[in-house]
Amino acid sequence: MTSPRCGFFWHERCFWHDPGAIGVFSAPGEFLQPQPASESPESKRRLKNLLEVSGLIDELAVRKPAPATREDLGYFHTDHYLDALEAGDAERGGDAGDCAPYTPGSLTAARQSAGLAIAAVEAVATGELDQAYALCRPPGHHAEADRGRGFCLLGNIPVAVMRARALGQVGRVAILDWDVHHGNGQQAAFYADPEVLTVSIHQAGNYPLDTGTFEEQGEGAGLGACLNLPLPPGSGLGTYDYAMESLVLPAIEAFAPELIVVACGYDACAKDPLGKMLLNSTAFARMTTSLRQLAERLGHGRLVLVHEGGYSEGYVPLCGHAAIQALADSHISVPDPQAEEIAAWAYQELQPHQRELIDGWRSDWMAERRL
């Protein structure tokens, strides 16, 4: 029997991070009855459990790697920020920056989360595995070098990619972020780097409010290696399909990366409380399949999905299972009782204003001879 070529990286420690009782808000308040934070372990634990129940996990190479070291984190984060995190974690916790609350023990979970991303990227970059999924928590795509943001304490993907490149494990890398919120962390990390393409397809003007416009395209030597697609709220299956086919996939293919990494959030699903998009689980499977096929056309097949946002405890597991099934090219599926209903909702088709917006971005990108 051949060994699985698709890895699944997870650790129970990641589920123990406690951001506090802030519900859907960024901080507690006098008139806000305490409730568990939206960024809870439940959706991730349910995803892992669903993989067990369906049997898909038995087709994956399951790994529980070591947490990230201080040296690992230093590839991206400043010493000042890491010192502050360690001091806060040793006391009562606090806020790591902007809407990134944590409590004692959170840093241990965050280091474990970064360790999952590091190990997944390394295993695929070095050819040990062809694809991998890292079930990271806390998420990382909003964290910047000197602060946490948006539930994220450590930049899981920037740390993993910077480390892999510094160690000579990989050269050119493309990072696609399809979380409903802008992937500001990856953008900031590689904004002047011509060897790393960052692409973010997200809901316009959600979070963060100060980043994510199409006009942000990199700087210096990295000009042209940053692509943002801020889609209008209410974008559905047709819009995402069109954006992927007409611009996202061609941009990545033209860049010709040696490795593709996805900041894999599921908060663009129709059931998410923090997003206003209309995707179902089938959409995430379709996007994953298209990227796996693109990686194969590029001649290496190297693809890593790193779990980010997604706050519907019931629906995230179905989305995640569909994506992992597509990543592993498996026949093991689970029924999604709402996939067809969501697909039948009004405005799922590509709307004229959405087509015009995406066509304009594609035209501008082509005018710069980037396709």
Side-chain angles (χ1 to χ4, degrees):
M1 182 177 178
T2 59
S3 299
R5 298 295 299 170
C6 182
F8 180 69
F9 294 72
W10 82 285
H11 200 287
E12 175 67 24
R13 175 65 68 180
C14 293
F15 302 155
W16 290 17
H17 161 56
D18 180 9
I22 61 172
V24 300
F25 304 98
S26 59
E30 179 182 0
F31 298 103
L32 304 177
Q33 180 177 335
Q35 67 180 98
S38 293
E39 202 294 291
S40 77
E42 193 63 16
S43 61
K44 291 81 175 175
R45 183 175 277 125
R46 285 173 178 256
L47 170 54
K48 190 264 179 182
N49 291 344
L50 184 58
L51 294 171
E52 294 270 11
V53 171
S54 74
L56 178 54
I57 200 168
D58 298 324
E59 295 187 357
L60 307 174
V62 179
R63 307 284 172 83
K64 294 183 180 179
T69 66
R70 173 73 183 241
E71 180 182 3
D72 293 331
L73 301 178
Y75 283 106
F76 175 48
H77 291 290
T78 66
D79 284 336
H80 178 75
Y81 175 58
L82 295 176
D83 289 343
L85 266 186
E86 291 173 1
D89 193 69
E91 297 177 0
R92 295 186 178 181
D95 195 314
D98 170 32
C99 302
Y102 67 104
T103 58
S106 290
L107 182 56
T108 300
R111 288 179 56 235
Q112 183 64 66
S113 184
L116 299 182
I118 287 171
V121 166
E122 181 174 87
V124 174
T126 59
E128 179 186 350
L129 297 171
D130 294 331
Q131 303 90 22
Y133 192 99
L135 187 58
C136 293
R137 180 178 183 268
H141 75 137
H142 292 313
E144 297 173 352
D146 59 353
R147 63 171 173 168
R149 296 188 78 179
F151 307 149
C152 303
L153 303 182
L154 299 172
N156 299 327
I157 291 176
V159 166
V161 170
M162 287 182 169
R163 178 183 180 277
R165 295 182 67 219
L167 296 178
Q169 296 170 350
V170 70
R172 292 168 71 83
V173 178
I175 301 170
L176 169 60
D177 191 320
W178 65 45
D179 190 282
V180 82
H181 307 104
H182 176 234
N184 63 288
Q186 290 96 227
Q187 175 172 303
F190 302 106
Y191 205 56
D193 191 338
E195 296 300 302
V196 179
L197 172 69
T198 60
V199 182
S200 180
I201 178 170
H202 52 272
Q203 180 184 321
N206 188 327
Y207 182 91
L209 294 176
D210 58 342
T211 66
T213 67
F214 176 76
E215 290 71 27
E216 298 162 31
Q217 299 182 5
E219 64 183 8
L223 183 62
C226 174
L227 173 61
N228 288 309
L229 285 75
L231 298 176
S235 295
L237 302 172
T239 312
Y240 273 79
D241 284 345
Y242 190 69
M244 289 288 290
E245 293 167 5
S246 63
L247 184 51
V248 173
L249 294 173
I252 295 174
E253 187 160 15
F255 186 75
E258 301 167 23
L259 170 70
I260 301 173
V261 180
V262 178
C264 183
Y266 299 110
D267 36 14
C269 81
K271 299 295 183 178
D272 198 89
L274 300 186
K276 302 301 179 187
M277 299 309 211
L278 304 177
L279 300 188
N280 60 11
S281 62
T282 305
F284 294 103
R286 191 157 55 241
M287 290 192 292
T288 303
T289 295
S290 66
L291 284 170
R292 182 172 52 78
Q293 293 171 343
L294 172 56
E296 291 169 355
R297 288 200 306 274
L298 290 171
H300 53 70
R302 291 190 285 269
L303 176 61
V304 177
L305 271 59
V306 176
H307 196 105
E308 292 289 349
Y311 309 100
S312 172
E313 294 180 359
Y315 203 61
V316 163
L318 295 174
C319 295
H321 193 285
I324 295 170
Q325 177 190 351
L327 182 68
D329 197 20
S330 171
H331 295 295
I332 297 178
S333 62
V334 296
D336 178 350
Q338 293 196 296
E340 292 186 8
E341 176 190 337
I342 293 171
W345 287 1
Y347 300 102
Q348 283 288 11
E349 298 83 5
L350 177 67
Q351 303 298 304
H353 69 285
Q354 297 163 344
R355 177 189 290 273
E356 182 179 0
L357 189 63
I358 296 167
D359 285 348
W361 292 334
R362 176 180 168 84
S363 177
D364 289 347
W365 205 251
M366 290 183 67
E368 298 296 331
R369 300 181 180 178
R370 296 172 185 155
L371 290 181

